[in-house]
Amino acid sequence: MTKVIFFIIILFNLNVFNSSAGTLIVTPAESKNKYEKAYFAGGCFWCMEESFDKVKGVIKSISGYSGGHVKNPTYKQVIYKDTGHVEAIAVYYNPKLTSYEELLKVFWVNIDPFDANGQFCDKGKSYRSVAFYQNTKQRKLIESSISSIEKKFNKKKIVTLVWEF
């Protein structure tokens, strides 16, 4: 009997883990709220997820690849071939609890905006930092934050890419 219970507990835990990996699960109560998405790349996507998931108002962040020319690339394609993709995250957030501006602040303190070859120990094209924008307002916020950071660092050039999503 204890083996059956243990087996059920293991299956439940595996199912919970698998169902939440890479998928946004929204309960019926949450679905009444309108969530927004922001997209960032800053080296290892799992490290970026952890930083954003701690922010009040962030519902969930999901790892993936973005910015390239290969549809639905695999990890091996992104890392070993030139797909143009970077490791990125989609951040689902409640705009009543946090803002795109706040998410940008989290992004900037979790990357090295002066490193064009990747982030920290992750080097290569797929680990470059990118701030993605979905509209003119977001693009302007990114550009303004870049100017502000460059001023703080004596006009040292930010090499983080700014791409349309």
Side-chain angles (χ1 to χ4, degrees):
M1 181 66 172
T2 41
K3 286 183 180 179
V4 171
I5 293 171
F6 178 75
F7 183 71
I8 291 170
I9 291 170
I10 294 296
L11 284 178
F12 174 76
N13 287 331
L14 286 173
N15 187 39
V16 168
F17 176 76
N18 286 334
S19 68
S20 65
T23 306
L24 176 66
I25 299 171
V26 179
T27 66
E30 291 175 324
S31 67
K32 292 177 184 174
N33 298 322
K34 297 230 177 193
Y35 298 129
E36 293 185 18
K37 291 184 259 181
Y39 301 93
F40 301 99
C44 171
F45 43 40
W46 291 309
C47 296
M48 294 298 290
E49 274 187 10
E50 181 181 8
S51 299
F52 283 95
D53 286 343
K54 293 176 182 177
V55 175
K56 181 179 179 179
V58 169
I59 309 307
K60 185 168 185 91
S61 58
I62 299 174
S63 295
Y65 305 104
S66 190
H69 59 274
V70 175
K71 187 176 180 179
N72 300 320
T74 65
Y75 174 79
K76 284 185 178 182
Q77 288 174 312
V78 172
I79 299 304
Y80 299 115
K81 297 183 180 180
D82 188 10
T83 64
H85 287 282
V86 292
E87 287 196 5
I89 61 168
V91 179
Y92 291 79
Y93 67 99
N94 182 337
K96 293 178 181 176
L97 299 175
T98 193
S99 65
Y100 186 79
E101 294 93 326
E102 288 300 314
L103 297 177
L104 266 176
K105 289 177 187 175
V106 172
F107 174 67
W108 292 122
V109 299
N110 282 284
I111 66 161
D112 178 354
F114 305 110
D115 189 345
N117 298 316
Q119 291 297 298
F120 309 105
C121 62
D122 296 318
K123 299 298 179 190
K125 281 185 164 185
S126 63
Y127 296 115
R128 294 173 292 171
S129 59
V130 181
F132 293 93
Y133 65 89
Q134 300 170 78
N135 54 50
T136 303
K137 180 182 178 186
Q138 287 180 350
R139 182 179 49 78
K140 288 180 179 179
L141 288 169
I142 294 167
E143 290 169 353
S144 174
S145 65
I146 288 172
S147 294
S148 176
I149 293 168
E150 287 178 341
K151 285 178 189 172
K152 285 181 185 177
F153 288 91
N154 297 319
K155 302 207 186 257
K156 187 174 180 183
K157 179 83 171 123
I158 299 286
V159 296
T160 294
L161 302 165
V162 179
W163 290 349
E164 184 174 13
F165 188 82

